[in-house]
Structures are given as C-alpha cells and as structure tokens.
Amino acid sequence: MADLLSLSSFLFSITIYFLSSSQDLFSVNGQFINNFTRYSVTQINYDLYHSSRKLMDEIKDLVHRHPDKLSMETVKARNKGYGAEIAVVTYCKGKKDTAERPKIRILLSFGQHGRELITSELALKILSILTEEQFLPGLNKASLNSTLDQLVIKVIPMENFNGRKRVEAGDLCERRNGRGVDLNRNWSVDWGKKEKDYDPYEENPGIAPFSEPESQIMRKLAISFEPHIWVNVHSGMKALFMPYDHKNTTPDGLPLQRMKSLLEEVNQLHCEKRCVIGSGGGSVGYFAHGTATDFMYDVVRVPLAFTFEIYGDATAASNDCFKMFNPTDRDSYNTVLEDWSAAFFTVFKLGPHQLGEIQSKASVVKLDKLVSIDEYLDGYLMERRNRYGKKMEVLELGMQEIRTYYRLFLLSSVLLLCMFCSRISKTKTKGSRPIVSAIPL
C-alpha cells in the first residue's frame, strides 16, 4: 500500500511539474492556445534553410564577388501605408545588355508565397551555378557557356519578403503578403472572381488589381524588361504548368506546341515523367483568378510563360504547412535543389530553340499597342518609350482614386448636361408661348 501511495505521489508530482513548465500550452480558461499548434507541427530547420536575411545577404555577397556576371538592384513601392521592396538580380555575361538587347531575356520569380521557402533556396542555387561557384553533375562547361552567352536572366529571389517574415515569426501556413493579400491573385487578368470554395486566408485578391506594392514592382519590371521566358516558381506539388490558371484551356496552335514540347522535355529529363503537365486551371483541381502567369501571357505577351511547382508532400497533415511545402531532411532538400536547378538550365538551353524564328526585338509586341485603358486604370506603374527610346515614368495613381475622380467627373457632367437641357427647354417654352389678349373676348 505504501509503495502504491509513493507511486501515486510521484506521478502527481510529475504531472504538476509538467503543467507548471508547460503553462504556455494553455490559456487561463484551460483551452489550448496557438503555441500548442505551433509546436505540434514541423518547424523551420535553420540548419538546413537560410533565414530571409541570411539568404539575401548571401546573394548580395555573391553579386559582390562576381561583378562581371551579376548586378543587383532593390526596387521599392508603397501604397496606402504599406510598403515593400524587391531585390532583382540580373545575370549577363560581360554586362553587355545594350539598348538593342539582342539576347534572349528570361524572368524568374521565387518566393511569391511566404511559406514556400524551398523556392528561394533554389534561386540561390541557380545563381551560384551561374557564377560557377557550384556545378551541376554532368553539365558540360563549354556547352553551358555557349548557352549563357545568348541570355539575360533576371532573378527575383524572394518576391514576398514581408510575407516570409510572418512565416519566420511562426505563422507557418501564411502565403500572403504583409497585409494579407495573395500576390498570385492580385494581377488584372480575370481578377477578383471567387469560386465556391474561396478562402480569403488563402486567396484574398486585394481591393483591386495591382493594389499591392509587390505586384506593382513585378508588373513594372515585366513591362520594361519584355521577357521571352517567364517562370513563376512555387511548391505544393510537382507540376509544370502553362496558361491558363483561370480556365480549363491552354493556348492554341504554335504557342501550345512550343510550351508543351519544352515542358515534356523537362518532365522526362528531370521529373521522371511524374510532373503534371497542362494548364494550371485544368490540372491543379481549381481555378485561380488574377495570377501572374496569365497576365504575363495575355498582356505582356511572353511567348513561353510557365508556373513550376517543385515540391509537395501529400502525406503532411493539413496544418503542417512547412512539411507540406518544403523538404524537411537534408537528402530530400539537396535532391530538390539538384533536380530543379538542372531543370532550369535545360530551360535556358532549349527555350531559345522553342522561340523559333521569333527575334528578340520582335517577339514581344510593344505594349503601347496592347495595354487597354482598363490596364492603365488597374495598374500603377508603367514605362513607355518616347521616340528617342528614353524611359519615362508614368504618374503613379491608385485605381481607387482614379475611379473616384472618374465618377465625380461623370456626375458633374450629367448634372451640367441636365442643367443645359433644362435651360434650353425653358428658352423654347418661353419663345413659343402663345400671345394672350389683355382684352376679354
């Protein structure tokens, strides 16, 4: 009996100790709080992954060590009290990207969703290979140099820096930017449409197309750079998508043939034919409205526009977002980076061939002829050329302000028209009034 009492006392003491040392798991009314959720799922392994600051510092150091190949600029924008900045790294051997721009232009975006850390790691890996600080197994150096001589590549290592900071603070499922907008729903093509399963936490499109500074910066960059190839890099599954995201169709004719041929080659060489290929809207299981890739293809007229999904763990629990979107062990981490960096160098090699006879200057039709008045109203930043080729910045205005002014203009015009018509009516009535005799008849 004494032994039983001692055992009970020991267990009771252990229980009290556990509760006192783990009080952060409970709220005052005995309910579990967020910390339990936080520590019951996979956390970021900083022995494997860079923090956002360290990753950007490594890229800055890489640029500093290779000024003959890399340059870097930081672009800032602000709207309604919210600001963002995006680092843009440009690769061009010898930096001979002249005004005539005879080379093939490639624009790559990583880290558009904060929780997809592996994508930014891939950006660092690709830049390291471009500078020859790292090498791909089996890649012929002479062949690589021959390929890269004809390319100008702009890399966005971390499009959603503010959203990434929220993830690092513990919100591991956050994909939106610093004020809760999904940057891949904030573009103008089919913007704002909501499906039956719409989830604002996942897909909030913002108050208007290009309401977010990050989207403004990316739009300005795409319009000024006029890329021949665009790849928006995500994680969540293994897939190679072409337009469209907002409907279950793909482009017709030659554009479809070019894109499909390139994706099938990448799938065979680097994805063991396991990647899903097709339109985003037709393959992923839901329609996405207001995406970057649809805008790049429909408005910017990028001939080869893609979305790559580079990793996904279907076995992860629905709340275990880090594991769902990012490899968690070193072998898987290294395999993803090796396979997909090789895939991008295949794109660099085969992409120019798929462009066929389209010349670098003619492949993208001038946007002065393509951008409608709606695009001007929906967008914020745009660059146009005068007849001397000099870049001029168009006045930055928010769409909501433009709409307000436009409505006031319409209202005042209607009021003036009504007053004018009323005045004319009175004048006619006065002029045609019958003469009445003062003498009674």
Side-chain angles (χ1 to χ4, degrees):
M1 186 66 178
D3 291 340
L4 181 61
L5 289 174
S6 298
L7 178 61
S8 299
S9 177
F10 174 74
L11 292 175
F12 180 74
S13 300
I14 291 295
T15 303
I16 294 299
Y17 174 79
F18 172 77
L19 290 175
S20 63
S21 62
S22 305
Q23 58 184 341
D24 63 323
L25 297 178
F26 298 91
S27 64
V28 292
N29 60 2
Q31 298 294 320
F32 287 106
I33 62 172
N34 289 337
N35 281 349
F36 179 80
T37 301
R38 284 183 60 183
Y39 295 107
S40 65
V41 298
T42 307
Q43 299 297 302
I44 302 173
N45 179 1
Y46 286 110
D47 290 332
L48 201 57
Y49 288 85
H50 297 81
S51 69
S52 53
R53 289 291 182 188
K54 286 184 178 179
L55 188 138
M56 293 311 303
D57 286 343
E58 281 215 22
I59 290 175
K60 289 176 184 177
D61 292 341
L62 195 65
V63 173
H64 181 73
R65 291 195 298 271
H66 301 277
D68 58 323
K69 296 178 180 178
L70 297 180
S71 60
M72 182 174 176
E73 62 177 327
T74 300
V75 187
K76 300 180 180 181
R78 187 169 205 68
N79 182 40
K80 296 185 182 298
Y82 173 74
E85 61 181 55
I86 292 179
V88 183
V89 182
T90 301
Y91 171 86
C92 183
K93 292 184 69 175
K95 293 187 178 179
K96 295 178 181 178
D97 184 18
T98 61
E100 286 73 27
R101 293 186 294 178
K103 298 187 176 185
I104 300 298
R105 299 181 296 280
I106 299 174
L107 180 58
L108 310 176
S109 176
F110 303 81
Q112 190 179 52
H113 288 149
R115 64 194 179 192
E116 299 166 13
L117 278 66
I118 188 62
T119 65
S120 294
E121 300 288 331
L122 178 59
L124 175 59
K125 177 80 172 181
I126 290 172
L127 290 171
S128 298
I129 297 170
L130 286 171
T131 57
E132 299 184 49
E133 289 198 4
Q134 295 187 38
F135 296 91
L136 286 171
L139 188 63
N140 183 279
K141 186 175 179 180
S143 175
L144 174 63
N145 288 332
S146 176
T147 296
L148 297 178
D149 282 343
Q150 58 182 322
L151 304 180
V152 178
I153 305 169
K154 286 191 180 291
V155 177
I156 314 300
M158 195 178 299
E159 182 180 330
N160 186 8
F161 185 82
N162 293 340
R164 169 70 176 262
K165 296 300 291 183
R166 294 176 68 170
V167 173
E168 293 174 343
D171 194 353
L172 298 174
C173 289
E174 183 60 81
R175 62 184 255 150
R176 304 167 300 174
N177 72 349
R179 62 175 172 189
V181 175
D182 183 347
L183 296 179
N184 206 29
R185 301 293 184 272
N186 192 234
W187 299 70
S188 63
V189 174
D190 208 46
W191 174 86
K193 184 176 180 179
K194 298 177 176 63
E195 299 293 329
K196 293 180 180 179
D197 59 349
Y198 167 75
D199 180 356
Y201 186 84
E202 288 285 299
E203 298 184 89
N204 176 20
I207 60 173
F210 305 109
S211 62
E212 304 311 296
E214 296 94 339
S215 303
Q216 297 169 22
I217 294 170
M218 291 300 298
R219 180 179 186 267
K220 177 185 176 183
L221 175 61
I223 288 175
S224 61
F225 185 51
E226 298 179 342
H228 300 94
I229 300 173
W230 153 264
V231 186
N232 194 10
V233 186
H234 289 270
S235 61
M237 62 185 299
K238 294 183 73 174
L240 302 164
F241 292 140
M242 66 183 83
Y244 290 96
D245 295 324
H246 70 280
K247 55 186 178 181
N248 186 14
T249 60
T250 58
D252 298 323
L254 188 58
L256 172 60
Q257 294 174 24
R258 285 178 178 149
M259 287 189 282
K260 188 176 180 181
S261 176
L262 179 57
L263 295 183
E264 286 176 344
E265 191 75 15
V266 172
N267 193 25
Q268 180 176 348
L269 293 176
H270 308 289
C271 211
E272 298 178 342
K273 296 186 178 181
R274 295 178 181 175
C275 286
V276 178
I277 293 180
S279 70
S283 304
V284 77
Y286 61 87
F287 293 153
H289 308 277
T291 67
T293 295
D294 283 359
F295 180 89
M296 293 294 177
Y297 186 77
D298 264 4
V299 179
V300 185
R301 301 295 196 219
V302 179
L304 302 176
F306 305 116
T307 300
F308 285 5
E309 298 271 355
I310 65 171
Y311 177 82
D313 186 347
T315 67
S318 59
N319 68 330
D320 197 354
C321 290
F322 184 77
K323 184 179 180 183
M324 186 183 300
F325 293 96
N326 306 279
T328 56
D329 63 273
R330 186 166 296 277
D331 287 343
S332 298
Y333 172 90
N334 290 333
T335 298
V336 169
L337 296 188
E338 290 290 335
D339 289 348
W340 283 97
S341 55
F344 272 92
F345 280 86
T346 295
V347 172
F348 299 159
K349 182 178 180 180
L350 299 182
H353 296 291
Q354 293 299 333
L355 291 169
E357 297 179 355
I358 298 179
Q359 299 299 317
S360 59
K361 291 181 69 175
S363 61
V364 181
V365 183
K366 292 302 180 184
L367 290 176
D368 286 346
K369 300 178 181 179
L370 291 174
V371 178
S372 66
I373 186 63
D374 290 334
E375 288 296 330
Y376 273 92
L377 293 178
D378 287 342
Y380 289 74
L381 295 174
M382 181 178 178
E383 286 186 346
R384 302 178 67 190
R385 297 174 184 272
N386 63 12
R387 59 179 177 171
Y388 302 107
K390 183 180 179 181
K391 299 286 186 180
M392 296 190 301
E393 196 75 17
V394 174
L395 184 63
E396 177 183 348
L397 290 172
M399 193 184 76
Q400 295 301 315
E401 288 83 351
I402 290 287
R403 284 180 173 171
T404 300
Y405 298 148
Y406 185 63
R407 287 167 183 159
L408 289 173
F409 170 75
L410 286 179
L411 180 61
S412 61
S413 298
V414 170
L415 290 174
L416 287 172
L417 183 61
C418 290
M419 293 172 62
F420 180 70
C421 291
S422 176
R423 189 68 176 265
I424 291 178
S425 177
K426 288 181 179 179
T427 303
K428 287 184 176 181
T429 301
K430 184 177 180 181
S432 59
R433 183 178 300 171
I435 300 176
V436 180
S437 173
I439 302 173
L441 296 177

